[in-house]
Amino acid sequence: MRAPLAVNRTFAAAKHLLPRSLLGRSLLIIVTPLILLQVISTIIFYDRHWDTVTRRLVGGFTGEVSALIRLLDENPTPEGQADIVELARNNLNLQITIKPGEVLSPDMPTVTGDGILERTLVHQFNDRVRRPVTFDTASYERLIEVNVQLPDAVLQIFVPRKRLFSSTTYIFVMWMVGSSLILFAVATLFMRNQVRPIRRLAIAADDFGKGRDHPEFKPAGATEVRQASAAFLDMRDRIQRQISQRTDMLSGVSHDLRTPLTRMRLQLALLPQSDGIAELRSDIAEMERMIDGYLAFARGEDEESAVEIDLGALLGEVASAARRNGEDVTLKAEEALRLTVRPTAMKRALTNLVENAARHGDHIRITAQRDRKAVEVAVEDDGPGIPEEQRTEVFRPFYRIERSRNPETGGVGLGLAIARDTVRRHGGEISLGTSEMGGLLATVRLPL
Ligand SMILES: Nc1ncnc2c1ncn2[C@@H]1O[C@H](COP(=O)(O)OP(=O)(O)OP(=O)(O)O)[C@@H](O)[C@H]1O
Ligand SMILES: [Mg+2]
């Protein structure tokens, strides 16, 4: 049972080394078997081919050398030997010299090196020449020196290395590597085109979640990618339809409720004044405020499109509006917080947070900064804050901690609900905490 565990661990370790992108992975899948195949076939083919070619070339050379030895034996005169030297040079491309009186050591053969060429030479000369012989394959770049013992002389032969050794191997290997590279380049090119529509789909889906639309996005690429893109587009339309249906219906209802409410208010005005009537009147006023608040929100949600803005400038407008109302506001925003948002909706959401801080505290601090993935805006005050167990509830529409419904101490209770709705439609999140200033800390996190 231990072996599979170790194997699993190896795989897990290898996984970290593998490419993460689809492009990298598909290239690996295409190219790895191909290179493996090339390497294996090169090795198998060349092991045999090289052997055979060298054996034949060396065999031819050995035959020539034994023929020369035989001729030299038969023509011992100096003129005859000079003729043979000429013949070797002109017809066999061999430079030979006869060194009379020299003797090679009899422990034959001596050789430099231990490659396939040397082994074949030794083998063939042992078989067919059977005399003391030395080989030097290392001293000259283009020549190989062979010394053969003759009865009373030494025959020195220089043979071009090319005649004994095929260099096509290297050319072949270079072609293999070259063609692999070309193939890799072509595969990269094609795969990149295949991956691009997937990446586009990913970006469109991500941006849709952040409330940014891509009207130019169209299904493209392979069938499966097209299917996924078409499914995404359908889903996007359905979601948009649902949102606008919800908004339409609720604003229709709210709008229609206003007519009977107005009628009630008018009828109340005609009735004789009493305590009960005054309460009814204030209830109706509150219902009208709630409906107005909701309608204002629903109108804001109408088809505003996202544009790139400077969030710092937007926060500056929000802060100066609060200052005009006599609030004490500090704003600290990083430079160049460029972000794609629906500006009116976002401004309204942030204003809601600042208004809350203004209503409950004396000092307001707004800070904005960005990290790698998101922009974070914090609105803090020095008021009483919101107890932890209420921090979910306060986001509910029309929910107020202070239930008196007194317009002096609070609004209709839509501010946080609207702010959260807007932030979420930008793919972000809003959270509440305790500020170091003592009051509420509302943090808005918007993805870049
Ligand atoms: N900064 C804050 N400090 C203390 N309590 C707060 C703060 N912000 C909000 N709250 C509490 O949360 C409740 C809900 O806030 P929300 O903004 O949704 O409604 P509202 O301010 O009452 O009305 P509206 O914003 O619609 O005019 C508020 O009534 C208040 O009790
Ligand atoms: Mg509010």
Side-chain angles (χ1 to χ4, degrees):
M1 279 287 97
R2 270 161 77 196
L5 211 90
V7 169
N8 277 349
R9 220 172 281 151
T10 320
F11 271 118
K15 237 183 200 165
H16 288 290
L17 299 176
L18 292 178
R20 296 196 149 273
S21 70
L22 181 58
L23 180 62
R25 287 184 180 191
S26 26
L27 283 178
L28 202 71
I29 292 171
I30 297 173
V31 171
T32 315
L34 203 109
I35 289 181
L36 224 73
L37 185 79
Q38 287 201 341
V39 168
I40 290 173
S41 58
T42 311
I43 290 174
I44 292 178
F45 177 65
Y46 262 98
D47 210 40
R48 298 194 49 140
H49 174 78
W50 209 359
D51 232 49
T52 315
V53 170
T54 312
R55 201 158 356 105
R56 297 220 175 122
L57 289 174
V58 172
F61 171 64
T62 317
E64 285 164 11
V65 172
S66 24
L68 281 175
I69 292 172
R70 177 109 183 259
L71 280 177
L72 288 171
D73 281 350
E74 284 168 6
N75 297 285
T77 58
E79 298 79 42
Q81 301 218 333
D83 277 354
I84 293 167
V85 170
E86 270 304 284
L87 175 99
R89 168 169 310 133
N90 295 339
N91 300 33
L92 300 178
N93 194 16
L94 298 176
Q95 279 180 43
I96 64 174
T97 322
I98 295 154
K99 299 175 170 171
E102 280 193 25
V103 178
L104 287 180
S105 106
D107 344 323
M108 56 174 249
T110 62
V111 66
T112 55
D114 182 31
I116 181 168
L117 175 62
E118 289 82 358
R119 265 182 283 131
T120 319
L121 276 170
V122 169
H123 187 77
Q124 300 258 357
F125 271 74
N126 275 351
D127 258 14
R128 295 164 61 183
V129 180
R130 290 194 217 93
R131 287 164 195 250
V133 61
T134 66
F135 303 105
D136 182 353
T137 54
S139 301
Y140 311 95
E141 194 188 333
R142 285 158 188 266
L143 295 174
I144 289 169
E145 181 185 347
V146 182
N147 288 291
V148 189
Q149 184 70 64
L150 299 182
D152 46 8
V154 163
L155 173 63
Q156 186 189 42
I157 310 165
F158 284 102
V159 53
R161 187 181 288 271
K162 263 203 245 164
R163 285 201 45 195
L164 300 187
F165 194 72
S166 155
S167 61
T168 48
T169 324
Y170 299 117
I171 296 171
F172 183 79
V173 169
M174 259 157 61
W175 269 103
M176 285 284 232
V177 173
S179 59
S180 296
L181 284 179
I182 291 174
L183 194 121
F184 187 74
V186 171
T188 313
L189 229 83
F190 278 105
M191 279 317 295
R192 248 221 319 253
N193 282 341
Q194 294 306 305
V195 169
R196 196 172 297 136
I198 302 179
R199 199 175 291 144
R200 278 214 199 101
L201 172 61
I203 291 172
D206 186 50
D207 279 357
F208 176 62
K210 294 175 182 167
R212 304 165 199 166
D213 209 9
H214 278 265
E216 80 286 3
F217 177 76
K218 284 202 180 60
T223 318
E224 290 84 352
V225 185
R226 269 171 204 274
Q227 270 171 359
S229 307
F232 162 70
L233 286 179
D234 284 349
M235 186 188 74
R236 184 185 71 177
D237 291 348
R238 269 199 304 276
I239 291 178
Q240 271 167 349
R241 217 165 31 238
Q242 261 169 21
I243 293 175
S244 68
Q245 264 170 12
R246 182 195 73 168
T247 324
D248 284 356
M249 197 186 89
L250 285 176
S251 50
V253 169
S254 312
H255 191 264
D256 290 352
L257 279 176
R258 266 220 300 223
T259 325
L261 274 177
T262 317
R263 218 160 37 225
M264 281 162 83
R265 189 156 46 86
L266 292 177
Q267 279 169 351
L268 279 179
L270 297 180
L271 290 180
Q273 299 300 312
S274 74
D275 280 357
I277 299 279
E279 262 172 44
L280 272 180
R281 199 180 282 140
S282 92
D283 275 351
I284 287 174
E286 191 195 337
M287 281 170 84
E288 279 179 335
R289 274 205 313 279
M290 286 163 84
I291 287 172
D292 286 347
Y294 181 76
L295 278 176
F297 163 55
R299 259 200 305 279
E301 202 170 297
D302 267 0
E303 300 298 298
E304 187 188 11
S305 51
V307 289
E308 194 183 307
I309 54 137
D310 180 1
L311 198 71
L314 190 91
L315 285 169
E317 288 169 29
V318 173
S320 22
R323 285 191 193 113
R324 273 198 298 278
N325 288 334
E327 306 297 342
D328 170 24
V329 186
T330 335
L331 168 63
K332 261 191 288 177
E334 244 174 56
E335 292 282 309
L337 286 170
R338 298 210 68 83
L339 196 64
T340 306
V341 294
R342 302 190 168 98
T344 321
M346 187 53 69
K347 186 171 175 184
R348 193 182 155 82
L350 293 167
T351 305
N352 285 352
L353 297 180
V354 174
E355 273 176 1
N356 282 353
R359 187 177 283 140
H360 298 278
D362 294 327
H363 304 285
I364 307 169
R365 186 164 72 194
I366 308 172
T367 42
Q369 65 203 30
R370 68 187 291 170
D371 53 37
R372 233 160 32 80
K373 288 189 187 151
V375 173
E376 211 168 78
V377 180
V379 180
E380 299 169 78
D381 63 68
D382 55 354
I386 298 179
E388 207 163 334
E389 62 277 7
Q390 304 251 30
R391 284 181 194 158
T392 345
E393 313 265 66
V394 287
F395 283 107
R396 290 211 331 247
F398 305 118
Y399 184 92
R400 287 175 46 175
I401 294 180
E402 204 256 326
R403 284 160 183 280
S404 69
R405 293 274 161 214
N406 181 346
E408 299 299 314
T409 58
V412 290
L414 271 178
L416 286 175
I418 290 172
R420 183 166 73 176
D421 201 81
T422 305
V423 170
R424 282 192 174 164
R425 290 196 61 190
H426 285 80
E429 196 42 83
I430 181 169
S431 58
L432 300 180
T434 311
S435 159
E436 342 170 308
M437 294 169 69
L440 186 73
L441 160 68
T443 315
V444 173
R445 204 174 152 76
L446 294 167
L448 283 171

